[in-house]
Amino acid sequence: MKEKCRWLVILLAVVTSVLSSCLAPAAVSAEKEELSSGASMADNPSIIEQAEFPVMVTDAAGREVCIERKPERLVSGYYITTSMLIALGQEEKLVGIEAKADTRPLYGMAAPKLLDLPNVGTAKVFDLEGCAALRPDLVILPLKLKESINALEELGIPVLTVNPEDLPRLKETIALLGTATGTAQRADSLLKCCDEMQTFLVETIPQSERPSVYLAGNSSYLSTAGSEMYQNTMLELGGGQNVAAELEDPYWAEVSYEQLLAWNPQIILIASGAGYNKEDLISDPNLTSLKAVQDGRVYTMPSSLEAWDSPVPGALLGSLWTASVLHSSFYDSEAFQSDVADFYRTFYDLEIDQAILAR
């Protein structure tokens, strides 16, 4: 498969070179002028993305995967890549997605047809037979489901694994999906937007003034994220110091009351989609001595769109929200709401009511 792909890539390059020499000089000149100006498909809709296939990509498992033709039937077994595919304009090509799609508000708002698609299970229990029955041209799975790769490939179905658990790997995943689906230019526009948000945070939010922050998990406020999770990046970019950074668990870690009291954070942020509310936390008699509780500095992350405390395409919005809470004199809630509206308008063709973002 890989050797065949390499020869196809070489052949395609030769054919493309020959065809390019046949273009009218004016057309070639105009194309070069558009590209040299730095224009992207998002900036200029007249630039049509001409993706060349086959392509060879490397996934999160370090596997070289040949994609011989532009996929027309996609299966995403991970909510993070489903959101990315919507942002890349591929929602109409999805024929199957992960379970519990109805718990993702963004789907209903930006791509409601996804809610009627068959589900292929969860990251813990993947429906291999159900996935194969959808006859996908490409399947995208989280790295933890890599044991399903061989079975799908034996059926002739290309598979990519992803593991966007930090900012660099999040960006790599966006670029990977852009190449694999023939939407590299749109992916590039999304990556540029991420870079701009990251640069803004680094240059605007004072890194020397970093209050201590505890991120309360969505299942329990006695669970939190350590340094190995994306949430740690979110807090640091937002100008905070994660009190749980010493923890190296790859998933949410359970902590004791004693540990939380010893950390005594200045601010507590409640993760998106928590199964409890702020009042539950501040009314817990075991936590009344916490500085964050006494100072009234407990905040719940908005969850009306998607979970920004996870590595979705809009993950940098989680850092912007954190900054608006921790450093409102440099970046306030009104600016944050405006930036969120711009992001979803640009990449999801979605007009949102900014009132759902108010604290």
Side-chain angles (χ1 to χ4, degrees):
M1 178 74 77
K2 292 178 182 177
E3 191 62 30
K4 178 182 178 183
C5 185
R6 289 191 180 94
W7 279 110
L8 286 171
V9 171
I10 293 171
L11 178 61
L12 182 59
V14 173
V15 173
T16 301
S17 175
V18 173
L19 292 176
S20 296
S21 65
C22 299
L23 290 174
V28 175
S29 177
E31 181 183 32
K32 287 183 177 179
E33 182 176 347
E34 283 182 317
L35 294 175
S36 64
S37 68
S40 69
M41 190 164 60
D43 301 322
N44 186 353
S46 66
I47 300 177
I48 301 174
E49 191 151 0
Q50 299 292 337
E52 296 180 355
F53 283 82
V55 295
M56 184 81 79
V57 295
T58 303
D59 73 357
R63 302 163 51 248
E64 284 191 336
V65 180
C66 176
I67 303 175
E68 297 187 20
R69 60 187 62 85
K70 188 172 183 177
E72 297 298 330
R73 296 177 64 83
L74 300 169
V75 167
S76 170
Y78 195 15
Y79 74 95
I80 288 173
T81 52
T82 301
S83 183
M84 287 182 185
L85 290 168
I86 299 172
L88 295 176
Q90 299 296 289
E91 62 271 20
E92 294 297 328
K93 295 184 178 181
L94 281 162
V95 295
I97 58 175
E98 77 285 354
K100 301 181 181 179
D102 57 350
T103 66
R104 311 291 177 189
L106 182 63
Y107 297 0
M109 299 169 71
K113 291 182 180 179
L114 297 188
L115 300 178
D116 296 324
L117 293 180
N119 83 73
V120 293
T122 68
K124 294 181 179 179
V125 183
F126 179 63
D127 183 359
L128 181 62
E129 292 183 1
C131 176
L134 297 173
R135 298 178 292 107
D137 299 321
L138 179 64
V139 175
I140 303 153
L141 299 176
L143 184 59
K144 63 183 69 174
L145 286 176
K146 61 183 179 181
E147 68 275 4
S148 300
I149 292 174
N150 289 340
L152 288 169
E153 288 191 332
E154 286 175 0
L155 296 173
I157 301 172
V159 185
L160 293 178
T161 61
V162 300
N163 187 36
E165 278 302 324
D166 56 34
L167 191 53
R169 284 183 289 180
L170 167 60
K171 293 179 179 180
E172 288 173 5
T173 302
I174 293 172
L176 172 67
L177 294 193
T179 300
T181 61
T183 57
Q185 290 185 30
R186 189 171 178 92
D188 183 59
S189 294
L190 178 56
L191 289 169
K192 286 179 180 177
C193 179
C194 291
D195 288 342
E196 288 171 1
M197 288 190 281
Q198 184 178 358
T199 299
F200 168 80
L201 287 163
V202 171
E203 295 181 350
T204 305
I205 307 304
Q207 297 301 307
S208 58
E209 303 172 19
R210 292 160 55 84
S212 59
V213 182
Y214 175 78
L215 179 64
N218 50 25
S219 62
S220 164
Y221 49 75
L222 289 180
S223 69
T224 192
S227 59
E228 296 301 307
M229 294 185 66
Y230 177 80
Q231 288 81 354
N232 185 68
T233 300
M234 179 192 79
L235 297 180
E236 291 185 343
L237 273 178
Q241 181 178 357
N242 182 9
V243 296
E246 64 193 62
L247 303 180
E248 297 180 352
D249 300 62
Y251 305 107
W252 293 100
E254 297 297 321
V255 299
S256 64
Y257 282 112
E258 291 75 17
Q259 177 63 81
L260 182 49
L261 291 170
W263 282 330
N264 196 23
Q266 295 171 275
I267 297 170
I268 294 176
L269 304 181
I270 298 175
S272 177
Y276 58 92
N277 56 38
K278 172 182 173 180
E279 287 66 33
D280 294 329
L281 190 154
I282 63 178
S283 63
D284 188 327
N286 296 294
L287 301 178
T288 55
S289 64
L290 284 177
K291 181 173 178 54
V293 173
Q294 292 185 344
D295 293 346
R297 303 208 67 184
V298 179
Y299 307 91
T300 302
M301 176 174 283
S303 57
S304 300
L305 289 165
E306 56 184 337
W308 296 323
D309 58 326
S310 59
V312 292
L316 270 296
L317 296 174
S319 291
L320 290 179
W321 176 78
T322 301
S324 75
V325 172
L326 274 55
H327 302 280
S328 58
S329 60
F330 293 90
Y331 180 70
D332 61 24
S333 180
E334 184 176 345
F336 164 71
Q337 293 174 33
S338 177
D339 287 340
V340 171
D342 286 344
F343 179 84
Y344 285 100
R345 183 183 302 115
T346 301
F347 294 104
Y348 291 85
D349 194 25
L350 181 63
E351 293 293 337
I352 64 170
D353 181 358
Q354 295 185 31
I356 67 176
L357 305 173
R359 292 201 299 273

